[in-house]
């Protein structure tokens, strides 16, 4: 199978349903950022030995294909899977579980006290950028509110996992007031 089509040489690509679109349009920027986020989660996942966290991250990666699919079409009703309220509730359950395992925080923490935590914080910041990109897209086109809510919750999940991994790896969290 050849992976090049030469169709993109002039700056165009196609949405999931075949509609042509320029590569620099906001919809492409959104699903491209989903791909970037998924890749950063892979880097994080590969630095983690905790099987529970690896399983959570793998499930998130699969869910990101659903998010990307929704962003890669203007007709999500034709997709086999879309983001649902259950996806959001699942993220909330994950957040609650992992935040219950770290001390209460009342200030900003220095990101990445461990390599796995640092990787997860990078993924979190990419997720926040994705959220901003989706907001940008909603000013131009219709996007499911559930997609935006899911991405917002996912950034919180990645934050909770990063804190947990930092505690798991180093037994400490350094906040911004630690030496000030």
């Amino acid at each position: 199978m050849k992976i090049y089509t030469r169709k993109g040489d002039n700056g165009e690509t196609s949405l999931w349903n075949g509609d042509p679109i320029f590569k620099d349009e906001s919809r492409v920027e959104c699903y491209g950022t989903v791909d970037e986020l998924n890749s950063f989660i892979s880097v994080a996942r590969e630095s983690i030995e905790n099987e529970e966290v690896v399983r959570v991250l793998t499930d998130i990666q699969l869910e990101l294909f659903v998010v990307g699919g929704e962003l890669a079409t203007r007709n999500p009703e034709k997709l086999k899977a879309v983001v649902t309220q259950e996806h959001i509730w699942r993220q909330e359950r994950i957040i609650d579980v992992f935040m219950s395992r770290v001390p209460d925080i009342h200030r900003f923490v220095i990101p990445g006290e461990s390599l796995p935590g640092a990787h997860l914080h990078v993924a979190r910041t990419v997720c926040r950028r994705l959220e901003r990109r989706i907001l940008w897209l909603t000013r131009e086109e219709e996007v499911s509110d559930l997609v935006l809510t899911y991405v917002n919750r996912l950034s919180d999940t990645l934050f909770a996992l990063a804190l947990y991994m930092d505690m798991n790896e180093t037994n400490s969290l350094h906040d911004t007031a630690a030496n000030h």
Side-chain angles (χ1 to χ4, degrees), residues 38-51 53-55 57-58 61 115-117 119-120 123 165 169:
N38 211 337
S39 296
F40 274 114
I41 290 173
S42 287
V43 171
R45 191 191 70 226
E46 289 305 309
S47 71
I48 295 171
E49 294 179 12
N50 181 303
E51 290 180 26
V53 175
V54 168
R55 211 171 21 259
L57 292 174
T58 301
Q61 288 187 282
L115 186 60
H119 288 313
L120 286 164
M165 289 309 302
E169 297 279 320

Side-chain angles (χ1 to χ4, degrees), residues 23-80:
K23 290 181 177 183
D24 64 349
E25 289 189 40
S26 54
R27 186 169 288 280
V28 178
E29 179 67 24
C30 284
Y31 69 75
T33 305
V34 171
D35 186 34
E36 181 182 0
L37 172 58
N38 211 337
S39 296
F40 274 114
I41 290 173
S42 287
V43 171
R45 191 191 70 226
E46 289 305 309
S47 71
I48 295 171
E49 294 179 12
N50 181 303
E51 290 180 26
E52 180 185 21
V53 175
V54 168
R55 211 171 21 259
V56 166
L57 292 174
T58 301
D59 289 345
I60 288 168
Q61 288 187 282
L62 293 170
E63 290 174 352
L64 283 173
F65 285 111
V66 175
V67 173
E70 247 188 277
L71 292 169
T73 184
R74 290 184 176 107
N75 304 311
E77 62 277 354
K78 295 183 179 182
L79 296 172
K80 291 180 183 176

Side-chain angles (χ1 to χ4, degrees), residues 3-4 12 14 37 46 54 74 78 84 88 93 109 114 127 139 141-142 147 154 162-163 173 179:
I3 63 167
Y4 60 88
E12 290 185 17
S14 298
L37 172 58
E46 289 305 309
V54 168
R74 290 184 176 107
K78 295 183 179 182
T84 66
I88 296 162
R93 287 190 299 270
V109 295
S114 66
C127 191
R139 292 187 181 100
E141 299 186 44
E142 189 172 324
V147 170
L154 178 57
L163 291 180
L173 294 175
N179 296 316

Side-chain angles (χ1 to χ4, degrees), residues 142-158:
E142 189 172 324
V143 177
S144 166
D145 291 341
L146 293 174
V147 170
L148 185 60
T149 301
Y150 174 83
V151 171
N152 180 271
R153 223 51 102 250
L154 178 57
S155 65
D156 293 336
T157 300
L158 294 169

Side-chain angles (χ1 to χ4, degrees), residues 37 120-130 132 155 158:
L37 172 58
L120 286 164
H121 277 293
V122 171
R124 173 188 56 81
T125 62
V126 173
C127 191
R128 286 288 188 207
R129 180 164 29 93
L130 172 60
R132 293 188 303 271
S155 65
L158 294 169

Side-chain angles (χ1 to χ4, degrees), residues 10-24:
N10 62 353
E12 290 185 17
T13 189
S14 298
L15 293 176
W16 175 82
N17 64 346
D19 289 346
I21 189 170
F22 285 105
K23 290 181 177 183
D24 64 349

